Amino acid sequence: MRKIKKILVANRGEIALRVMRSAKEMGISTVAIYSEADRNALHVRYADEAVCVGGPKSNESYLRGDVIIDVCKRLQVDAIHPGYGFLSENANFARKVQEAGLIFIGPSPEAIELMGSKLAAKAAVSKYKIPMVPGTEEAISDVEEAKEIASNVGFPILIKASAGGGGKGMRVVESVDVFEEQMKLAVSEATSAFGDGSVFIEKYIGSPRHIEIQVLGDTHGNIVHLFERECSIQRRHQKVIEEAPSAVLTPELRDEMGRCAVDVAKACDYVGAGTVEFLVDENLNFYFLEMNTRLQVEHPVTEQITGLDLVKEQILIAEGNPLSFRQEDLTINGHALELRVYAEDPANNFLPDIGRLETYVRPQGLGVRVDDGFEQGMDIPIYYDPMIAKLVTFGKDRQEAIEKMLRAIDEYKITGIETTLPFGTFVLQHEAFVSGNFDTKFIERYFSPSVLEPKSTEDADEIAAVLAAMLLGNNKPKVSTPSTGTQNGTVSNWRKNRVK
């Protein structure tokens, strides 16, 4: 066992703050890294120390693994927490962290590599007789051979990038006539996005639910699951609303899927927090999809229903501690929902809407949690994912969690940019969601820009007043500016400790 005294968080925004808060409660010092675009970011101010690692683009800063490791050596850091995204599933980075004598708060490089390839992952878990979607068991490049396999599997089929994610390198093919064209497009996109053009074929399950299981494994061979998360409300194959538990899983199916998730983790000797993803069809048959070897964006809903702090568990595991609980000790308590509040315009195909947070007021009250990394007056940078916050509600049951979420959305005041808040209201009031009778085709079936309500009268009056003032030549509209980090001329600790 090795006690961690100082952690560098190799990430930004809300997840960096999330990790630092748990570390602080454990008496662990924190180091933030930041790009030039994030110089005044909240995670920079919160950390005990902070270091600029480069320019605004990710490849100039947050993806510079060697620079990050050098910072750790210079500041005598014990461990690196990668958060999610950026370097979190980069096996080469995890290996270099270990070679530098540092602790990587996550799984082994070998586990990351194995589960990072969908084909290798399928092969690894096959001995556990986990249900798989029919298709090829290895990469395929010969178009004619692929056509024959696709015909045997039965159209429609899905061409998928082996190293893919987020819908990249993925093509639905309805017939043999367009197969060759779609396969070439999938290979090209996979090569461009991941540097690996390997693709494989699966039977296309047209309207599945996307349900994932959270797992935890320690260095002593103990692995447990922390139940499921329903993640079927998606746009462009990326999640927008998640909940725990799912509205459709029976206790028996939950146990069966949980056992399969644990077996997947065993297949790669998994250590730390990970997520096993499944597709579930209309008859509640489930199929292994992939494993994400990191903390998930939607982990707060699991924390709400289990009472566990997953970041603290990650740190304890990384120190070499055994899990302090067994599977039979875990129970589901209540229901939790998460809405990802993106700087996106749902009325314009969810395109990013970058700008300044002219108004930013968080909702409050019992059962409401906001994980964010912004404050009023800050700009949403164009260089990174447009997520502003994760709005989470918790209730004694699903209905109460939905009611709290609707109230929280109504209280969440954001102006200056468009967000996914009104989309959240639409979903949570829709009969298909309320009844639990929905799948990953929800947006395609039910949503169109016209369903969103127009701006409120209050917003319209405010806009009219600003325009009138401008036309009359009065003072220009006031625009808030980011906090400077100083009070009464005294430099705050975060500026003193920020390493230039």
Side-chain angles (χ1 to χ4, degrees):
M1 290 179 59
R2 179 177 167 188
K3 185 68 176 174
I4 295 174
K5 297 179 181 179
K6 184 186 285 191
I7 290 174
L8 180 144
V9 183
N11 218 294
R12 63 180 297 277
E14 63 84 16
I15 188 58
L17 280 166
R18 165 74 190 87
V19 173
M20 290 175 189
R21 287 184 174 121
S22 288
K24 187 171 186 176
E25 291 176 9
M26 298 174 76
I28 299 172
S29 299
T30 56
V31 176
I33 59 170
Y34 63 94
S35 70
E36 291 173 0
D38 281 337
R39 185 169 294 274
N40 292 318
L42 296 187
H43 77 281
V44 178
R45 291 184 247 168
Y46 188 88
D48 297 301
E49 299 171 271
V51 181
C52 182
V53 289
K57 295 179 181 179
S58 299
N59 62 0
E60 298 172 344
S61 52
Y62 296 107
L63 293 176
R64 298 177 69 186
D66 292 343
V67 173
I68 293 169
I69 291 172
D70 286 343
V71 170
C72 290
K73 292 177 179 177
R74 181 152 52 99
L75 298 184
Q76 298 183 309
V77 167
D78 302 305
I80 294 178
H81 194 301
Y84 50 72
F86 294 133
L87 295 168
S88 63
E89 292 180 285
N90 186 311
N92 187 47
F93 175 67
R95 188 172 287 111
K96 286 183 176 180
V97 170
Q98 292 181 349
E99 290 171 353
L102 303 167
I103 297 172
F104 182 76
I105 302 179
S108 68
E110 293 75 22
I112 296 173
E113 280 179 336
L114 183 60
M115 290 298 156
S117 166
K118 291 180 173 61
L119 288 172
K122 279 186 167 187
V125 305
S126 61
K127 63 183 178 181
Y128 288 97
K129 298 181 180 179
I130 294 168
M132 303 279 190
V133 179
T136 58
E137 296 181 359
E138 56 188 28
I140 190 162
S141 57
D142 184 273
V143 174
E144 293 305 317
E145 182 185 359
K147 277 185 185 178
E148 184 177 348
I149 292 172
S151 298
N152 291 334
V153 170
F155 289 95
I157 59 95
L158 196 62
I159 301 174
K160 299 175 70 174
S162 176
K168 295 182 176 68
M170 185 184 296
R171 287 286 187 277
V172 178
V173 185
E174 299 287 348
S175 69
V176 70
D177 298 334
V178 294
F179 182 87
E180 184 171 348
E181 176 189 2
Q182 293 300 311
M183 182 169 173
K184 288 179 179 177
L185 287 171
V187 170
S188 176
E189 189 174 347
T191 302
S192 175
F194 311 111
D196 182 353
S198 302
V199 298
F200 63 101
I201 294 170
E202 280 185 349
K203 176 67 178 174
Y204 177 61
I205 301 175
S207 300
R209 299 179 80 108
H210 187 144
I211 295 179
E212 61 190 28
I213 308 288
Q214 176 75 59
V215 295
L216 280 177
D218 64 23
T219 55
H220 304 271
N222 303 305
I223 302 175
V224 299
H225 71 83
L226 307 182
F227 313 111
E228 81 278 5
R229 296 185 289 255
E230 171 78 64
C231 306
S232 298
I233 305 296
Q234 304 179 1
R235 50 92 178 97
R236 297 191 294 274
H237 300 286
Q238 294 181 322
K239 306 158 191 172
V240 185
I241 296 176
E242 302 99 349
E243 61 181 309
S246 169
V248 297
L249 261 60
T250 62
E252 294 76 18
L253 184 56
R254 177 174 294 117
D255 289 344
E256 186 179 357
M257 292 180 71
R259 285 195 298 272
C260 283
V262 168
D263 285 341
V264 170
K266 288 178 179 177
C268 62
D269 298 320
Y270 198 81
V271 172
T275 298
V276 181
E277 303 199 355
F278 296 95
L279 295 180
V280 180
D281 68 18
E282 65 272 16
N283 298 315
L284 296 184
N285 299 307
F286 68 91
Y287 306 94
F288 170 68
L289 181 62
E290 63 181 342
M291 184 177 192
N292 290 309
T293 54
R294 55 173 166 78
L295 195 66
Q296 291 281 89
V297 175
E298 58 273 18
H299 75 272
V301 293
T302 296
E303 293 182 326
Q304 296 298 130
I305 67 166
T306 61
L308 295 172
D309 183 323
L310 292 185
V311 172
K312 287 183 179 179
E313 294 300 329
Q314 285 185 296
I315 294 170
L316 290 170
I317 289 168
E319 288 182 329
N321 295 289
L323 293 175
S324 62
F325 46 83
R326 298 170 298 176
Q327 189 67 59
E328 53 266 34
D329 298 324
L330 299 168
T331 57
I332 295 174
N333 176 35
H335 199 97
L337 289 166
E338 176 179 296
L339 168 64
R340 300 191 190 187
V341 184
Y342 284 108
E344 294 180 347
D345 186 359
N348 189 20
N349 197 31
F350 292 91
L351 291 177
D353 189 40
I354 306 303
R356 176 161 294 183
L357 295 171
E358 295 176 1
T359 304
Y360 188 72
V361 180
R362 301 172 186 85
Q364 300 182 43
L366 185 65
V368 176
R369 167 178 169 177
V370 179
D371 285 16
D372 65 3
F374 291 95
E375 63 186 1
Q376 187 165 294
M378 292 180 69
D379 291 323
I380 306 296
I382 64 173
Y383 309 101
Y384 317 114
D385 184 272
M387 189 171 70
I388 301 170
K390 300 183 304 196
L391 175 58
V392 182
T393 58
F394 175 73
K396 66 178 183 296
D397 53 31
R398 190 169 188 262
Q399 181 179 347
E400 184 173 272
I402 290 174
E403 290 168 352
K404 285 181 181 289
M405 181 63 79
L406 288 168
R407 187 263 295 173
I409 291 173
D410 188 56
E411 288 183 10
Y412 214 147
K413 303 302 180 186
I414 300 178
T415 64
I417 56 171
E418 299 296 329
T419 74
T420 49
L421 286 172
F423 172 74
T425 298
F426 168 77
V427 174
L428 270 68
Q429 291 179 333
H430 197 282
E431 186 276 333
F433 184 84
V434 173
S435 67
N437 184 26
F438 63 94
D439 53 44
T440 54
K441 297 288 187 180
F442 180 93
I443 289 179
E444 183 179 318
R445 287 198 184 99
Y446 304 118
F447 180 74
S448 66
S450 61
V451 303
L452 296 181
E453 295 181 358
K455 298 286 186 182
S456 69
T457 304
E458 183 179 337
D459 290 341
D461 290 345
E462 183 178 340
I463 293 169
V466 171
L467 290 174
M470 294 174 69
L471 289 171
L472 292 172
N474 295 339
N475 293 333
K476 293 182 179 180
K478 293 182 179 179
V479 178
S480 301
T481 56
S483 170
T484 62
T486 61
Q487 294 180 350
N488 300 324
T490 303
V491 179
S492 64
N493 287 334
W494 74 271
R495 279 198 180 277
K496 289 179 181 178
N497 294 333
R498 187 172 69 191
V499 180
K500 296 181 180 179

